[in-house]
Amino acid sequence: MGPARSSGVGSGNSGAYTTEIAESLRFEEEIHSIVHPSLDSSPAAGGSFTALLGLPANQAVELLHETGPSEAPSSAAAPSPTGELWRLRLGEHAAGPLHLPLGCSPTFPSNAALVERAARFSVFAAEDSPELSSGGGPSPRLKAEPPDSDSPPPLPIPTEKTQRPAKRKECEKSKAKGPAKKSKSAEENTVAAPKETAAENTDGEKLPYVHVRARRGQATDSHSLAERARREKINARMKLLQELVPGCSKITGTALVLDEIINHVQSLQRQVEFLSMRLAAVNPRIDFGGLDGFLLAECGPLATANGRGGVALDPALWSSHPVTANGARWLPQPQIRHVDVWPTQQSSTAWTRDGAAHPHALLNPGASLFGYDPASSVSLNSNQLKTEL
Amino acid sequence: MIPSPASSSSGSRKRRMKRGQKAQPATKWRTAAQERVYGRRLLEALRTTAALGPRAVKEAADSALALTARGRSRWSRAILLRTGRKIRRGRRRARAAEAAGGRVRGRLRVLRRLVPGCRNLSAGSLLEEAADYVAALEMQVKAMRALADALSAAPEAAAASEPGSRGGV
């Protein structure tokens, strides 16, 4: 992002709003497409980059006069098409010596301060791309501050930077709403502009801060901005959940979606309970050694989602496994594992049948016995033992 | 990953920036690899579980699930820590009313109760944890169902085909 790019920023403060809007549209689009490549090049929020450049009101006016058709960064009422306006209240540089012909003219780099700003802007651009719509990470911006503290217009930049993340979020959000609100916000801006300019001029010595023109009908203080950001985050997470929970995409309204989510979670937890009951009932009977294949079978249908292999194994393994492999594998496992447990189980009275004790011992060495379905298991176990012995 | 105690938006975003984008829970929990990992852990847990009964099985399954989550999510850590605490402490408190505080707030409260370890979380983090939890639960149900089917089908099949398997051995 070169200096030339960053120069053509902000909407002009000329008399005709249409030209301003057109100019701002043109340049904002450029800049936003660079800084936020994933966002659409919708008519961008006007003054966000004027704030970046940090040019004072009078300088902006000068620049405007110098560069006819090209953009001039505005600090006074710059009606952004989206209704959001970034403005700087500058105390210090009322006497700023910036006389730059702005726009994409090659004379831009001649001004050291603007070059600096452009460099900073490119820093921001580079750092913005990873966090496009988040607007978080004030630290990169804060880090960029110290080097700039020596530059001629130092003060407005730091404050503006700290507030920028939140404001940039607003900027991006309002960009999306831009076209619809263009005309309305233009009128809004014109009304409020003179007031702001006057305020700016009078507070010559105060520390500058950034005015943010909020969307139409919304408050502008930092609290509501933060709240809006928080709400956006929550809405994004809700969308994720909606995709996760089946049947939630059609539902509109946070409360109902939450209802669905709660029902889904409860049903899943209930299913886990039922399945654990089943598993508990089945547990004592089965030797777990022969079940390694069930994972492969289970992964088959899952793998289709990934397009991974393992599907080929699925039907063959699943059908054959319980029949042959399990039966085959049951034999070696008991032999290997529970020679030690065997004597303890033999002593218990409940386990008169050796076969019955054996697989159970695998699961609960030394644990108490519990009831299970003796019919199928015992016959099986006794058969096993016959072959073992 | 070590979470910052205050999971502020900028903090979590910074973490994500440094590590690259975090995988979405839906895709993370639905891979075959995860299912395999969990399945193995589940088998292991069931094999070595000392206590019997459905509650113990469920706890073992939940612990296996939490292990598979590698402690990245709050609920998984809460589950892993649960075994120490919840055993002694019973569920003393009665269920509070769910509709108090407005619809969304009330439902958020219910969700907080459902997702383990999320009692004091903000709404945003709660929803994030809930998404991860739902995805993990779905995988758990799938795996447990497969295991239960395999276990209950195996002995019947083996018993039925005893002579065949004998021959095969």
Side-chain angles (χ1 to χ4, degrees), chain A residues 301-346:
Chain A
L302 270 185
T304 52
N306 288 356
R308 296 231 307 245
V311 182
L313 293 169
D314 179 13
L317 259 184
W318 186 254
S319 51
S320 64
H321 211 82
V323 175
T324 55
N326 266 343
R329 282 197 217 175
W330 284 359
L331 299 178
Q333 293 289 352
Q335 290 167 0
I336 295 167
R337 264 205 232 139
H338 278 281
V339 181
D340 42 338
V341 185
W342 187 247
T344 57
Q345 290 299 340
Q346 271 184 331

Side-chain angles (χ1 to χ4, degrees), chain A residues 109-313:
Chain A
S110 59
N111 188 344
L114 269 173
V115 172
E116 222 171 22
R117 272 200 218 95
R120 246 179 295 124
F121 187 55
S122 54
V123 167
F124 296 140
E127 283 160 339
D128 273 341
S129 28
E131 40 168 24
L132 290 173
S133 59
S134 62
S139 56
R141 302 194 167 98
L142 291 171
K143 276 181 217 155
E145 288 178 24
D148 302 325
S149 53
D150 311 318
S151 61
L155 273 180
I157 313 296
T159 37
E160 123 206 5
K161 277 183 216 159
T162 47
Q163 293 162 334
R164 186 172 303 134
K167 309 296 168 40
R168 192 179 290 275
K169 271 181 284 189
E170 288 315 310
C171 172
E172 295 165 6
K173 273 180 266 169
S174 54
K175 259 186 297 193
K177 307 197 177 184
K181 306 205 172 191
K182 225 187 295 187
S183 50
K184 292 182 199 158
S185 52
E187 290 161 16
E188 248 188 74
N189 292 336
T190 36
V191 169
K195 279 187 282 180
E196 302 262 12
T197 347
E200 275 187 10
N201 291 340
T202 50
D203 298 345
E205 295 314 308
K206 282 195 192 158
L207 284 178
Y209 60 89
V210 184
H211 284 279
V212 178
R213 183 61 53 87
R215 288 187 288 239
R216 183 174 171 81
Q218 300 204 1
T220 67
D221 58 343
S222 60
H223 295 295
S224 52
L225 281 176
E227 233 189 84
R228 228 179 299 162
R230 185 181 135 267
R231 250 178 274 151
E232 292 294 324
K233 189 174 85 164
I234 288 181
N235 288 337
R237 305 260 163 92
M238 284 281 297
K239 255 199 313 181
L240 263 185
L241 268 174
Q242 266 185 304
E243 292 165 13
L244 212 46
V245 178
C248 261
S249 355
K250 304 166 195 155
I251 302 181
T252 46
T254 316
L256 296 172
V257 168
L258 276 180
D259 248 354
E260 273 305 312
I261 293 170
I262 287 175
N263 285 338
H264 192 65
V265 168
Q266 280 172 339
S267 92
L268 283 176
Q269 284 178 339
R270 256 179 279 136
Q271 283 182 41
V272 168
E273 273 191 52
F274 289 149
L275 284 172
S276 71
M277 258 198 310
R278 269 183 72 190
L279 280 176
V282 155
N283 249 7
R285 284 196 288 163
I286 308 297
D287 167 21
F288 282 98
L291 281 169
D292 295 333
F294 102 95
L295 295 166
L296 286 170
E298 179 54 29
C299 295
L302 270 185
T304 52
N306 288 356
R308 296 231 307 245
V311 182
L313 293 169

Side-chain angles (χ1 to χ4, degrees), chain B residues 36-169:
Chain B
R36 262 196 300 265
V37 169
Y38 176 63
R40 262 190 223 115
R41 282 224 176 93
L42 182 63
L43 263 183
E44 231 181 274
L46 288 178
R47 246 182 255 169
T48 57
T49 183
L52 298 170
R55 213 177 309 127
V57 172
K58 174 174 173 294
E59 277 171 20
D62 285 343
S63 308
L65 187 67
L67 272 180
T68 313
R70 308 193 136 268
R72 278 212 192 102
S73 42
R74 208 169 281 252
W75 60 263
S76 63
R77 286 189 291 270
I79 287 181
L80 290 176
L81 295 169
R82 201 194 270 176
T83 51
R85 278 191 294 145
K86 213 53 177 249
I87 289 177
R88 298 148 208 168
R89 260 203 289 163
R91 294 260 178 126
R92 297 176 270 111
R93 287 173 300 182
R95 299 276 178 194
E98 83 173 38
R103 301 188 188 95
V104 177
R105 288 291 170 98
R107 288 169 170 94
L108 276 185
R109 205 173 307 133
V110 176
L111 201 55
R112 275 204 188 92
R113 257 186 283 128
L114 285 179
V115 183
C118 293
R119 300 232 168 207
N120 306 321
L121 276 191
S122 65
S125 324
L126 175 64
L127 292 178
E128 201 178 341
E129 291 288 320
D132 204 54
Y133 188 56
V134 163
L137 272 185
E138 285 185 6
M139 191 207 74
Q140 185 183 25
V141 164
K142 229 183 274 183
M144 284 178 79
R145 186 171 288 144
L147 182 55
D149 289 340
L151 282 179
S152 46
E156 300 153 7
S161 62
E162 263 310 275
S165 61
R166 283 291 164 272
V169 177

